Amino acid sequence: GLWWALWSIWSFCRLQTHEEVSRKPHANEWIIFAGWASFFNKLSEIRRYPQTFKFLVAWFVYSDTYSTIAGVGILVLQDRLCMGGFQIALLLLEVLSCAALGNYLTFRAQRKWQLTTKFMICLLLGVYLLIAVMMMIGISDAPIGLKNTFEAYIFACVHGCAIGSIQAYSRSLMADLTVHSK
């Protein structure tokens, strides 16, 4: 929490204010429903922006996918490999470190080979496909597939490198698809 607290303080001090948009509820609208009314209003407007809508649907599906892979990975590590809290904490630190490394490496690769943000997201989703296939192989009697501690550390490294990057590229693509002032 300290990391986020420090960055929050920096953000609050450094970010400049912008012109507020005041929205008053309609006469027959209760103030507690104003947020929902605004949400449904934006939802009805999205038909005019089909690419943004397609990306939001895709993002909803694939963000749930990589979150599920991480959650299932932890359950497998606890259940099949009998990893304790300390080992899981070490893996978490590895994921966080590899996320920073993955951001750096994918950014360098994107710049070097002039790859698009969309291509980078597809590439990283391919990495998650390989992780999922590896975990499915582990269900069988195969000797590989998240069945030993060494594979757990490889899983954490690959997941970490991919998670930081795919989240960054997704935010970047969403920013590109967002209509100014909406």
Side-chain angles (χ1 to χ4, degrees), residues 69-140:
I69 287 173
V72 169
I74 289 173
L75 293 175
V76 168
L77 297 176
Q78 289 175 332
D79 184 52
R80 294 217 173 164
L81 299 181
C82 300
M83 293 183 97
F86 180 73
Q87 288 176 309
I88 299 286
L90 283 177
L91 288 172
L92 176 63
L93 288 174
E94 181 184 1
V95 167
L96 294 174
S97 301
C98 288
L101 177 65
N103 275 336
Y104 174 76
L105 293 176
T106 55
F107 179 72
R108 293 283 307 249
Q110 181 189 23
R111 288 288 168 106
K112 181 177 181 177
W113 291 300
Q114 299 176 346
L115 304 171
T116 65
T117 301
K118 180 181 171 183
F119 179 84
M120 294 303 291
I121 291 172
C122 291
L123 180 71
L124 292 163
L125 288 174
V127 170
Y128 274 107
L129 176 65
L130 293 176
I131 291 173
V133 167
M134 192 67 169
M135 289 176 79
M136 287 189 298
I137 290 172
I139 294 172
S140 70

Side-chain angles (χ1 to χ4, degrees), residues 4-75:
W4 286 273
L6 291 175
W7 280 109
S8 296
I9 292 169
W10 180 86
S11 298
F12 293 141
C13 293
R14 303 281 293 169
L15 293 177
Q16 298 185 10
T17 60
H18 62 82
E19 193 176 306
E20 287 189 33
V21 178
S22 62
R23 181 193 176 281
K24 297 184 181 182
H26 300 286
N28 59 352
E29 181 181 54
W30 292 3
I31 190 71
I32 60 172
F33 296 117
W36 286 106
S38 176
F39 170 74
F40 286 114
N41 183 33
K42 295 296 181 208
L43 198 58
S44 68
E45 289 179 14
I46 200 147
R47 281 183 250 142
R48 293 187 289 181
Y49 310 104
Q51 296 304 317
T52 303
F53 179 72
K54 288 176 191 175
F55 174 73
L56 285 173
V57 170
W59 175 81
F60 177 77
V61 171
Y62 76 72
S63 68
D64 186 50
T65 302
Y66 59 69
S67 298
T68 301
I69 287 173
V72 169
I74 289 173
L75 293 175

